[in-house]
Amino acid sequence: MKAILVIHNLKKESNYALTYAGNLGAKLKTKVIVMNTVPEPLSVQLSDATAHDIFDNEDFGFKDQNKNAENIVFLSYLDTLGMSLHAITAKYDVGLIIKGVCGTTKKINDQVLPILNHACCPLLAIPEDASFNINNIGYLADLRYAKKDIVSFLSKMSEALDVKASLFNITESGLPHMNDSYAETVFRQLFCNSGLNLVNIKERDIMKTVDVLANVMQVDFFVLSNRSSQLNGLWDWENMENEEHAHLPALIFPC
């Protein structure tokens, strides 16, 4: 995998992303680039320390935990000043962006949409209490519109992490449900060598489906496309913070 870019704004949720990226980068044997989005003079004022020393604060223990990690590079605010997100990902050969998120559905959307609208690579949203113990990756998509580049990405990632990965075929609104035999045929034709499993979901209510996947089928890592109806089922909850899946990582592709 290409380098991982962590967007850090010195807020507590950024530490979730840093910790997760450190673990993921070590597993995938790839470089982690930490991008500071807050001007350094402000960082000094807020922390009464240098920009790098803020990671020594008890709320930001990532530096101590990873002080010997050779694959982590910290950038200063000036290193990326005036650069677009596209230019940053190109310069540092970034293949994955990681961002910590928190709060209500609206707040999470406000945090991730500006990145997704300008990114050319997937965004991994890391909520509070997200565990790195990935065991069951679930790609939520209508099989008819499933992206080969997403399946390829997941195939490589699941193999590197030695975890289970499945494509959950969830019918888009207004389309007929695919029966099991037809879905299996289409899946074999498109993704026979991917290493992913196919699970054909009959439930039409996406929010019920997400709830069952997280709580019954133990999916602990969601994968979606930015413009899919499935993403609405992941985010559009009245009380997002109290939902079980609100603490699960979501890998979102900007396509």
Side-chain angles (χ1 to χ4, degrees), residues 11 40 68 80 131 139 142 151 169 184 191 200 219 253:
K11 293 184 179 179
E40 290 178 6
N68 296 321
T80 56
S131 170
Y139 174 25
D142 188 313
V151 171
N169 181 30
E184 287 286 351
F191 308 118
N200 196 24
V219 174
F253 283 75

Side-chain angles (χ1 to χ4, degrees), residues 122-141:
L123 167 68
L124 180 54
I126 303 297
E128 186 175 5
D129 298 329
S131 170
F132 182 70
N133 295 320
I134 305 170
N135 294 297
N136 193 1
I137 298 176
Y139 174 25
L140 280 55

